[in-house]
Amino acid sequence: MSAGGSSSLRRDTRWWGWGDPAEPTELPGGAERLLVEHGIEVGPVSQRPSLDRVRLPAASPIPEAVLEIAGAGNVSLTEEDRIRHSGGQSYLDLTDRRSESLAFAPDAVIALDDARRIVPLLEACAALGVAVIPFGGGTSVVGGVTPRDTGFERVVSLDLTGLRDCRIDPVSMTATLGAGLRGPEAEALLAAEGLTLGHFPQSFEYATVGGFAATRSAGQASSGYGRFDSLVSSIRIATPTGTMNTIETPHTAIGPSLLELIVGSEGAFGVIPDVTVRARRKPDVCRYEAWMVEDFEAGNQIVRRLAQERRLPAVARVSDQTETEVSLGTSVPGGVAGDLFRRYLKLRGRGEGALMIVGYEGSSIAVKRQGAELRRSLRSGGAVALGTSAGDGWARGRFHGPYLREALLDRGLVVETFETAQQWSRHSDFYSSVRRAVTERLAAEGMDGIVMCHLSHAYPDGASLYFTVIASPGRAGGPAGWRAVKTTAAEAIRSGGGTLSHHHATGRDHAPWLEDEVGRLGLATLRAVKEELDPAGIMNPGCLLPVEPA
Amino acid sequence: MSAGGSSSLRRDTRWWGWGDPAEPTELPGGAERLLVEHGIEVGPVSQRPSLDRVRLPAASPIPEAVLEIAGAGNVSLTEEDRIRHSGGQSYLDLTDRRSESLAFAPDAVIALDDARRIVPLLEACAALGVAVIPFGGGTSVVGGVTPRDTGFERVVSLDLTGLRDCRIDPVSMTATLGAGLRGPEAEALLAAEGLTLGHFPQSFEYATVGGFAATRSAGQASSGYGRFDSLVSSIRIATPTGTMNTIETPHTAIGPSLLELIVGSEGAFGVIPDVTVRARRKPDVCRYEAWMVEDFEAGNQIVRRLAQERRLPAVARVSDQTETEVSLGTSVPGGVAGDLFRRYLKLRGRGEGALMIVGYEGSSIAVKRQGAELRRSLRSGGAVALGTSAGDGWARGRFHGPYLREALLDRGLVVETFETAQQWSRHSDFYSSVRRAVTERLAAEGMDGIVMCHLSHAYPDGASLYFTVIASPGRAGGPAGWRAVKTTAAEAIRSGGGTLSHHHATGRDHAPWLEDEVGRLGLATLRAVKEELDPAGIMNPGCLLPVEPA
């Protein structure tokens, strides 16, 4: 144990928010005007919170036996590390940390760099009643790492960023990657062999391989490379009752898929120390184009046709009219900056419309051919080309969204996203009903807001919908207001038959609706698995499975 | 209940063997010579077994309460129906029925045509200690429907062929198909809407949709259309404790995949009444070509490259040299008949070699282009084209294999298959070691035999291996000899790190090695799920999960 904290812990991000502390969090040009146009009052820029001023609950002492197994130098009890592990990146997590007053924080942070210590550690924690929250990049936006309402008096955050192994099988094109590798680190290791995962979620720069697997992450190029779960070739999980491995095989018909039971387990069954994934050759060419279609529905129909013909490009996104207006009206990195395009579009008869981003990745011949074919499909769907510089703008800014969010939070606004997926036959009505419900609830809460949406993950049978809400805090204040809106969103999603999450996972935020989505027997089955692997219930209590009333 | 048996039961197949009773089971031209060349003594054609002479265990009475819930007219106690449900299509199942002496048979056959009766029926069976074996097409080759060593005194076979609903969602291109629909019936319903599943396992003509899902079936065109598990969009399972549904969504990140826990459950958790699947547009063109490569390894390397470049055609198969010799040496439907090709190949310098079948399916433009590209890859891998008539021969005969098998069984020979999958980096050595182990065991058992193999399901990280064994019965007699060989095969597969099955499932035949493959915790997890859904353990006892010692 080290009073200064463990050496393998990383402290290179903002403790109170997203990402690189050197990266500015400025409101982009045009944004303030646009917010005002939507009736959103933009407050003055708040002062940055100070680590010294943060109040957090006193730490309950962690039993010596647990600390001993963790090993000297692997335990941190510092306030900074406890604060850094007090939550993820949801609006509620961020406002908690910005408020300088935390209701929940782990009692200690343990950072292991040796996967063999996990099972003994979990055994000790189970025996001594210490809850364990696995922590990778800390980028959960659904309360997956927030030590809230665990039902345990003592909670450790188990930081996995020290698990950084990499073994590549170049013949099978698979790689076994340590859970703690961040997206760019994993890509750098693969790139040395000419490989890539093609997994680029917005959280890519800080999220970890273990988190990708634990949450069924989906990247922005999921149409081309597949969601993370489809990249997993084999996996293991270290639980309080031992380790479960799935065998390395391209496929097996030996019973139900235990691999698919570990993927998506969200830390509630155990810790994923590493994941073996299928890699691809790095593409020679990546080409991103922006297009404008008549409206959201027209764009979605183009994507549906491509998906059902199995012709989707690596990236296929459609913004609804509101999101399009915001993209065009602000000069954000990745926004397809303003007036130039507006004028061009007016000339072409698309004064309003829906923005599409289409991305091709592969060999230069393949990209050229796919591009030529898809451009025909896009034009026949009524799309107008905005060219590659606008597309490249999107690609450059694809990981920048969280910084923009900080700029809005700085001004006292509520900024949050939620996402779902739906079959094509209900997709359009579902979009409208969820959007309407959220808009009405914002109004009822006195929150002036923008609700915008895009489709970014498409399948032959349906597609995702990703909503972003920017709003004034309303009568009840931001966090209380957002909780109300989130409840309405979840209820509208479920009553429309959609899933509570296409790729953000369950976390603690969706756990109250888990039974509604998976049913009584589905919930009972998940509980039975947890009971088998984690009989003391110490693994990430409250995440995925709601804490049962005592 | 009807003494004459239930009206929804189908009796249109051979009770003692495979398929259509009108289809001849003749030994193809050249086969006898080829068997003799391999030292296999071909016996005289045995007399066909007679239903009248079959001895089977006396039926234990099924409780009235169970029969009442099943409903009048849905229960059969006839010997014919009990015999027809006494097993599947494994070598051991077939020799049992051919022997006219059955050690195991269900005590009654219940045939439901209303899925709503399943849960009440299972509840009653659980309460009264009656085991239930779900029965679809009865095509299991791994003992999945054989009422062997169930640990229960009373066993009913639950025939699902009456579950024949079909609901198509043309916008989402999904179809909800009753579990009892056979492959051609499902395809006919889809074809009426211009759709197909593209799922064509060798058992296609008689296997059912429910069985496809319960066993993780893979079709011969799996490279183009995906395995059956990847086609499942949502599913439900009726268990003794109620019904579990997964929601209709293209994807969800809400926790572990319950869908993937139901798929592959092999009747051990409950009954799958129907499955919602992703369909495709029926292809305009199907083109099958035969090619010859230098050897098995050369063919496998071509397939590996195509898989890793994501360029696999719908069908990609490679036969090893022995299977190639058998294909070329016999005029079986689907064999690429004999001498003509031999002479052609000698001219081209491929006197021996490995046969490849490549199939393209899609629009005529797509097939033309894919064909042109792939032919370049094949030629650069050293392949010599044998043309489409040989390929079409394969396609015509693709479902005929089980009839040929009957012809060999008629002559007293052992004929059985087993299959596995392995990562590319170990694939070649693994093939050799499994083949060697089986060949040696055959010799040790005094069985003169042919061991042949093909690759038919390829992935970026590895591929399946499908072995066929034809042998004389040896010292111990066919069934005992085969049990010994199967044990050796399973052990060789496991010691080489392969899976016990790529697509035949676990059944009762692989259950003894289940723990070896999934590990102690994997087995415990599966048992925990079963305990939750089927606490009385009545569902297909002994299948998937080995019966626990009392």
Side-chain angles (χ1 to χ4, degrees):
Chain A
M1 182 175 13
S2 141
S6 155
S7 56
S8 75
L9 280 175
R10 305 176 77 161
R11 300 180 194 89
D12 58 348
T13 56
R14 289 189 168 104
W15 67 266
W16 50 267
W18 182 262
D20 181 356
E23 183 77 16
T25 61
E26 283 162 16
L27 211 53
E32 187 146 354
R33 191 193 62 198
L34 204 140
L35 292 166
V36 171
E37 277 173 18
H38 279 83
I40 301 172
E41 197 178 328
V42 179
V45 176
S46 58
Q47 230 192 336
R48 288 288 152 83
S50 161
L51 199 55
D52 305 334
R53 286 197 298 261
V54 177
R55 283 164 295 134
L56 70 169
S60 301
I62 300 299
E64 270 308 315
V66 169
L67 302 180
E68 259 169 46
I69 291 170
N74 292 328
V75 179
S76 171
L77 304 174
T78 67
E79 292 210 337
E80 175 174 353
D81 289 330
R82 291 178 59 216
I83 293 165
R84 284 180 172 277
H85 291 77
S86 67
Q89 296 283 335
S90 73
Y91 169 71
L92 297 175
D93 288 335
L94 294 172
T95 48
D96 264 8
R97 292 207 288 285
R98 282 171 171 259
S99 75
E100 299 177 341
S101 173
L102 293 174
F104 308 101
D107 300 300
V109 178
I110 296 178
L112 293 187
D113 55 8
D114 180 352
R116 291 169 300 183
R117 293 201 184 196
I118 300 175
V119 170
L121 182 76
L122 300 183
E123 283 171 348
C125 288
L128 297 164
V130 178
V132 176
I133 300 185
F135 195 100
T139 61
S140 172
V141 290
V142 291
V145 295
T146 311
R148 190 176 78 211
D149 301 329
T150 60
F152 281 76
E153 255 178 57
R154 292 168 297 185
V155 179
V156 300
S157 181
L158 182 55
D159 190 294
L160 303 167
T161 48
L163 300 176
R164 311 172 66 72
D165 282 348
C166 173
R167 285 195 315 279
I168 293 178
D169 172 347
V171 177
S172 310
M173 284 180 71
T174 59
T176 304
L177 299 170
L181 292 166
R182 287 178 180 166
E185 294 166 339
E187 283 295 326
L189 290 163
L190 291 167
E193 304 284 331
L195 302 174
T196 180
L197 277 184
H199 184 70
F200 303 111
Q202 195 178 52
S203 59
F204 170 74
E205 292 175 322
Y206 295 97
T208 56
V209 165
F212 293 152
T215 62
R216 296 186 173 275
S217 171
Q220 293 167 350
S222 72
S223 301
Y225 296 90
R227 293 180 315 267
F228 195 81
D229 53 278
S230 72
L231 306 181
V232 178
S233 156
S234 65
I235 196 164
R236 47 182 192 135
I237 186 166
T239 80
T241 52
T243 298
M244 191 189 329
N245 302 280
T246 70
I247 70 167
E248 280 189 32
T249 178
H251 178 64
T252 171
I254 293 298
S257 173
L258 292 165
L259 185 152
E260 289 279 0
L261 202 62
I262 301 172
V263 172
S265 55
E266 303 190 33
F269 300 160
V271 174
I272 296 169
D274 44 45
V275 188
T276 303
V277 289
R278 298 181 186 95
R280 296 215 191 189
R281 299 248 170 273
K282 254 184 104 64
D284 301 326
V285 178
C286 297
R287 181 186 161 98
Y288 307 103
E289 298 170 349
W291 291 75
M292 190 66 82
V293 280
E294 192 174 349
D295 56 21
F296 191 42
E297 179 62 12
N300 290 351
Q301 290 304 326
I302 292 173
V303 171
R304 175 169 79 91
R305 267 198 307 280
L306 293 174
Q308 293 184 340
E309 294 166 2
R310 270 68 175 176
R311 299 202 296 130
L312 279 177
V315 176
R317 301 166 70 89
V318 190
S319 293
D320 73 357
Q321 280 97 319
T322 309
E323 191 173 283
T324 299
E325 185 200 350
V326 170
S327 280
L328 294 181
T330 54
S331 59
V332 301
V336 287
D339 285 345
L340 178 70
F341 285 113
R342 279 182 201 260
R343 267 177 279 144
Y344 170 77
L345 293 169
K346 281 240 166 79
L347 282 175
R348 304 290 302 259
R350 289 268 178 286
E352 294 185 327
L355 182 66
M356 287 186 73
I357 300 291
V358 177
Y360 315 96
E361 305 193 358
S363 69
S364 78
I365 295 172
V367 165
K368 194 170 264 179
R369 194 176 65 203
Q370 196 186 21
E373 283 176 19
L374 258 69
R375 282 188 280 278
R376 276 198 296 276
S377 300
L378 287 158
R379 290 206 173 89
S380 79
V384 175
L386 302 186
T388 54
S389 65
D392 290 341
W394 169 80
R396 271 195 310 278
R398 64 201 287 190
F399 308 127
H400 196 77
Y403 292 105
L404 297 180
R405 184 186 192 188
E406 299 292 351
L408 294 161
L409 294 174
D410 282 348
R411 284 152 181 89
L413 301 180
V414 176
V415 199
E416 188 53 297
T417 66
F418 62 91
E419 39 80 53
T420 177
Q422 182 57 282
Q423 301 297 94
W424 287 118
S425 57
R426 300 190 289 264
H427 200 260
S428 178
D429 290 346
F430 179 69
Y431 159 71
S432 301
S433 65
V434 172
R435 189 178 192 287
R436 190 182 321 115
V438 169
T439 304
E440 286 172 6
R441 185 66 188 252
L442 284 168
E445 296 292 325
M447 298 165 79
D448 300 306
I450 300 175
V451 180
M452 53 192 184
C453 184
H454 63 250
L455 174 161
S456 47
H457 306 277
Y459 306 91
D461 48 341
S464 69
L465 285 168
Y466 189 102
F467 289 88
T468 301
V469 176
I470 302 172
S472 60
R475 274 189 301 280
W482 175 251
R483 277 193 205 95
V485 173
K486 173 73 184 180
T487 297
T488 294
E491 287 169 357
I493 283 169
R494 287 302 306 133
S495 73
T499 176
L500 292 162
S501 174
H502 170 272
H503 61 273
H504 283 169
T506 318
R508 285 169 177 78
D509 294 0
H510 295 128
W513 294 280
L514 179 68
E515 183 169 354
D516 189 55
E517 175 150 340
V518 304
R520 176 184 64 81
L521 268 196
L523 180 60
T525 300
L526 293 175
R527 284 208 195 281
V529 173
K530 183 173 173 80
E531 174 69 25
E532 183 65 36
L533 299 176
D534 173 29
I538 59 160
M539 291 309 311
N540 214 356
C543 181
L544 174 61
L545 293 160
V547 170
E548 285 181 283
Chain B
M1 183 175 14
S2 143
S6 155
S7 56
S8 74
L9 279 177
R10 305 176 78 162
R11 300 179 194 88
D12 59 350
T13 54
R14 291 190 167 103
W15 67 266
W16 50 267
W18 181 262
D20 182 356
E23 182 78 14
T25 60
E26 284 160 16
L27 211 52
E32 187 147 352
R33 191 194 59 197
L34 204 138
L35 292 166
V36 170
E37 278 173 18
H38 279 82
I40 301 173
E41 198 179 328
V42 180
V45 176
S46 59
Q47 228 192 339
R48 287 289 150 82
S50 162
L51 200 55
D52 304 334
R53 287 196 297 262
V54 177
R55 283 164 294 136
L56 70 170
S60 301
I62 299 299
E64 269 310 313
V66 169
L67 302 179
E68 258 169 45
I69 290 170
N74 292 329
V75 180
S76 171
L77 305 174
T78 67
E79 291 210 338
E80 175 174 352
D81 288 330
R82 291 179 59 217
I83 293 164
R84 282 180 173 280
H85 291 75
S86 67
Q89 296 283 333
S90 72
Y91 169 71
L92 297 175
D93 288 336
L94 295 171
T95 48
D96 264 8
R97 293 208 287 287
R98 282 171 170 259
S99 75
E100 300 177 341
S101 174
L102 294 174
F104 308 101
D107 300 301
V109 178
I110 295 177
L112 293 186
D113 55 8
D114 180 350
R116 290 168 302 183
R117 293 200 185 197
I118 300 174
V119 170
L121 182 75
L122 300 184
E123 283 171 349
C125 287
L128 297 164
V130 178
V132 177
I133 300 184
F135 194 101
T139 61
S140 171
V141 289
V142 291
V145 294
T146 311
R148 191 176 77 213
D149 301 329
T150 61
F152 282 77
E153 256 178 55
R154 291 168 298 186
V155 178
V156 300
S157 180
L158 181 56
D159 190 294
L160 303 167
T161 49
L163 301 175
R164 311 172 65 72
D165 282 349
C166 174
R167 288 194 315 279
I168 292 177
D169 173 346
V171 178
S172 309
M173 284 181 70
T174 59
T176 304
L177 299 171
L181 292 166
R182 288 178 181 165
E185 295 167 339
E187 282 295 326
L189 290 163
L190 292 167
E193 305 284 332
L195 301 175
T196 181
L197 278 184
H199 184 70
F200 303 111
Q202 194 179 53
S203 60
F204 170 74
E205 293 176 320
Y206 295 97
T208 56
V209 166
F212 293 152
T215 62
R216 298 188 174 272
S217 170
Q220 293 166 350
S222 73
S223 301
Y225 296 90
R227 292 182 315 268
F228 195 81
D229 53 279
S230 73
L231 306 179
V232 178
S233 156
S234 65
I235 197 164
R236 48 184 191 133
I237 186 166
T239 79
T241 51
T243 298
M244 190 190 328
N245 302 282
T246 70
I247 71 167
E248 280 189 31
T249 178
H251 179 65
T252 171
I254 293 299
S257 174
L258 291 165
L259 185 151
E260 289 280 1
L261 202 61
I262 300 173
V263 172
S265 55
E266 305 191 32
F269 300 160
V271 174
I272 296 168
D274 43 44
V275 188
T276 303
V277 288
R278 299 181 186 96
R280 296 216 190 188
R281 299 250 169 274
K282 253 183 105 62
D284 302 326
V285 178
C286 296
R287 180 187 162 97
Y288 307 102
E289 297 170 349
W291 292 75
M292 190 65 82
V293 280
E294 192 176 348
D295 56 21
F296 192 41
E297 179 61 13
N300 292 350
Q301 290 304 326
I302 292 173
V303 170
R304 175 168 79 90
R305 268 198 307 281
L306 293 174
Q308 293 184 340
E309 293 165 4
R310 270 69 174 176
R311 299 202 296 130
L312 277 178
V315 176
R317 301 166 70 88
V318 190
S319 294
D320 72 358
Q321 280 97 319
T322 308
E323 192 175 282
T324 299
E325 186 200 348
V326 170
S327 280
L328 294 181
T330 56
S331 59
V332 303
V336 288
D339 285 346
L340 179 70
F341 286 111
R342 278 181 202 258
R343 264 176 283 144
Y344 170 75
L345 293 170
K346 281 242 169 77
L347 282 174
R348 304 289 302 259
R350 286 269 178 285
E352 295 186 326
L355 182 67
M356 287 187 72
I357 300 291
V358 176
Y360 315 97
E361 305 194 357
S363 69
S364 79
I365 296 172
V367 165
K368 194 169 266 179
R369 195 176 63 203
Q370 197 186 21
E373 282 175 20
L374 258 68
R375 281 189 280 278
R376 275 198 297 277
S377 299
L378 286 158
R379 290 208 173 90
S380 80
V384 175
L386 303 185
T388 55
S389 65
D392 291 340
W394 169 80
R396 272 195 310 279
R398 64 201 287 190
F399 307 128
H400 196 75
Y403 292 107
L404 298 181
R405 183 187 194 188
E406 298 292 351
L408 295 161
L409 294 174
D410 283 348
R411 284 154 181 87
L413 300 180
V414 176
V415 198
E416 188 53 296
T417 66
F418 63 91
E419 38 81 54
T420 177
Q422 182 59 279
Q423 301 297 93
W424 287 119
S425 57
R426 298 190 289 265
H427 200 260
S428 178
D429 290 345
F430 179 68
Y431 159 72
S432 301
S433 65
V434 172
R435 189 176 191 287
R436 189 182 323 115
V438 169
T439 303
E440 287 174 4
R441 185 66 188 251
L442 283 167
E445 296 293 324
M447 299 166 77
D448 299 308
I450 300 175
V451 181
M452 52 192 185
C453 182
H454 63 249
L455 175 162
S456 48
H457 306 276
Y459 307 90
D461 47 341
S464 68
L465 285 168
Y466 189 102
F467 289 88
T468 302
V469 176
I470 303 173
S472 60
R475 273 189 302 278
W482 175 251
R483 277 191 205 97
V485 173
K486 173 74 183 179
T487 297
T488 294
E491 287 169 358
I493 284 170
R494 287 303 305 134
S495 73
T499 175
L500 292 161
S501 174
H502 170 273
H503 61 274
H504 283 169
T506 319
R508 284 168 179 78
D509 295 359
H510 294 128
W513 294 279
L514 179 68
E515 182 168 353
D516 189 54
E517 176 149 340
V518 304
R520 177 184 63 82
L521 269 194
L523 180 61
T525 300
L526 294 174
R527 284 208 194 280
V529 172
K530 183 172 175 80
E531 175 69 26
E532 183 65 36
L533 300 176
D534 173 28
I538 60 161
M539 292 309 310
N540 213 357
C543 181
L544 174 61
L545 293 160
V547 171
E548 284 181 283

